[in-house]
Amino acid sequence: MLHEISKVYLLRKILCIFLTGLVIKIMDDYIDQDIDVLKKESNLYIALEYGGLPYGLLLLSLAIILDFPTALSLFFSSFAVGMAGVQSAKMPSGLYGFQESLLVVFFGIFLFKYEMLSSLFIIVTIQLWDDFLDYENDKISKKNFAFLLGKVECLLLAIIFFLLTVYFDYIKAISSIIAMHIIVYIIKLLLGNEKQSEHGA
Amino acid sequence: MVFDKILLLAVLEIAVFLLGYAIGRRVGKKEGITEGMSILPLDWRRQLNETSICPLCSQQLNTNKNCDKIHNRD
């Protein structure tokens, strides 16, 4: 009985991480839509047109139903990491980006404790790993940790944060990395097909 | 429990390596720039003597004109 419960819990957690990953991807594409149009890169939010926000909220709701702390802590972490780089512009709340980021992190740690820490670490890992891979593509904009810190430093920091995530929650660490690659692959397949059909028509 | 300890030890080791690498790279970059700046004038002069082409403006020196003041003295 216990064995079965743990299996269900594992499945719920993995699915929750996958859905939250999709929500984070939609949110990221919403913020980067202007840059992606200029770079002529595929963008999930533009592809979904007006469906981006409702689908995002629906997926987040489903993820929260599956595993409340994991979904919310991952979402908070992605928000905090995304906002941490904004140091000069004021947000609609009247605060600077990094102030909002700090507030969300403190709130998350207050609510979820170690769950928030592991989520923060895995999101930082994914951000650093993504910047390491995009080193060549982001040479123009230079909004990239691999430029700020150096390529090897970026990779080593990603490894450190990944190991720290494994220390706190190994299921989250492994399934997040797998989910990230699956999401990127699915989007590549979907938007690649869309582009092909556009060219065909 | 043992696995956790190994993980933390690995994190510590990589962190120390990262610190050494980051400091070494930055110090090395500065040293390299200073060394390069001191070598550059000599290297330009060597290039000019070997090729008779100015490494700054790529203009060829007028080799037909004899500018040797010592040997042209009356």
Side-chain angles (χ1 to χ4, degrees):
Chain A
M1 184 67 188
L2 270 173
H3 186 64
E4 279 189 10
I5 289 169
S6 67
K7 258 187 183 173
V8 170
Y9 171 73
L10 201 73
L11 205 68
R12 281 171 73 130
K13 186 156 186 162
I14 291 169
L15 202 62
C16 163
I17 289 168
F18 177 74
L19 293 178
T20 317
L22 270 176
V23 174
I24 293 168
K25 178 69 186 162
I26 291 172
M27 190 171 74
D28 189 49
D29 279 2
Y30 168 71
I31 291 166
D32 288 344
Q33 54 182 319
D34 296 336
I35 300 166
D36 285 345
V37 167
L38 285 173
K39 279 185 174 176
K40 289 178 183 170
E41 278 181 3
S42 53
N43 185 301
L44 187 59
Y45 189 82
I46 296 170
L48 288 171
E49 292 172 5
Y50 288 105
L53 183 66
Y55 276 135
L57 290 173
L58 183 74
L59 289 173
L60 186 64
S61 312
L62 287 175
I64 288 171
I65 292 169
L66 286 170
D67 194 339
F68 169 70
T70 307
L72 267 191
S73 64
L74 278 173
F75 187 75
F76 279 6
S77 305
S78 71
F79 183 89
V81 170
M83 285 291 177
V86 186
Q87 289 171 350
S88 53
K90 272 197 174 179
M91 296 292 125
S93 64
L95 296 168
Y96 289 108
F98 69 94
Q99 290 171 333
E100 275 190 6
S101 164
L102 275 175
L103 270 178
V104 170
V105 168
F106 283 133
F107 187 58
I109 289 173
F110 174 71
L111 277 181
F112 307 115
K113 304 207 167 53
Y114 289 114
E115 190 76 40
M116 182 70 192
L117 273 183
S118 62
S119 295
L120 197 63
F121 289 154
I122 195 66
I123 295 291
V124 172
T125 305
I126 290 170
Q127 177 76 48
L128 289 168
W129 177 243
D130 194 46
D131 282 359
F132 175 75
L133 293 179
D134 285 345
Y135 184 77
E136 296 297 326
N137 295 337
D138 290 348
K139 265 188 176 167
I140 307 161
S141 66
K142 297 210 169 182
K143 256 187 168 181
N144 188 319
F145 279 112
F147 279 109
L148 291 171
L149 305 168
K151 220 177 165 187
V152 178
E153 286 95 327
C154 186
L155 184 65
L156 286 175
L157 263 180
I159 293 169
I160 288 174
F161 279 114
F162 179 72
L163 290 178
L164 281 174
T165 319
V166 173
Y167 177 74
F168 284 115
D169 189 346
Y170 66 94
I171 298 167
K172 187 188 279 179
I174 295 163
S175 46
S176 298
I177 297 293
I178 294 170
M180 179 191 89
H181 284 101
I182 290 173
I183 289 166
V184 169
Y185 184 70
I186 289 172
I187 289 168
K188 212 175 179 183
L189 274 182
L190 283 174
L191 300 183
N193 285 342
E194 222 169 64
K195 266 189 183 174
Q196 274 180 359
S197 61
E198 271 175 22
H199 285 295
Chain B
M1 198 64 190
V2 180
F3 182 67
D4 285 354
K5 273 187 182 174
I6 293 170
L7 259 180
L8 283 181
L9 209 68
V11 168
L12 195 72
E13 278 178 12
I14 297 170
V16 170
F17 176 74
L18 171 66
L19 195 74
Y21 180 86
I23 293 170
R25 198 171 83 100
R26 277 152 186 80
V27 172
K29 238 181 174 178
K30 273 186 186 169
E31 276 181 11
I33 287 170
T34 317
E35 203 169 313
M37 293 286 268
S38 61
I39 289 173
L40 199 64
L42 290 172
D43 192 59
W44 277 349
R45 191 161 291 181
R46 183 187 57 78
Q47 278 183 42
L48 182 67
N49 286 336
E50 280 176 6
T51 59
S52 299
I53 296 167
C54 174
L56 273 180
C57 59
S58 306
Q59 209 172 21
Q60 189 154 18
L61 287 183
N62 192 355
T63 46
N64 296 326
K65 196 177 173 183
N66 193 352
C67 303
D68 193 343
K69 282 182 183 168
I70 297 167
H71 296 100
N72 283 345
R73 273 189 302 193
D74 294 323

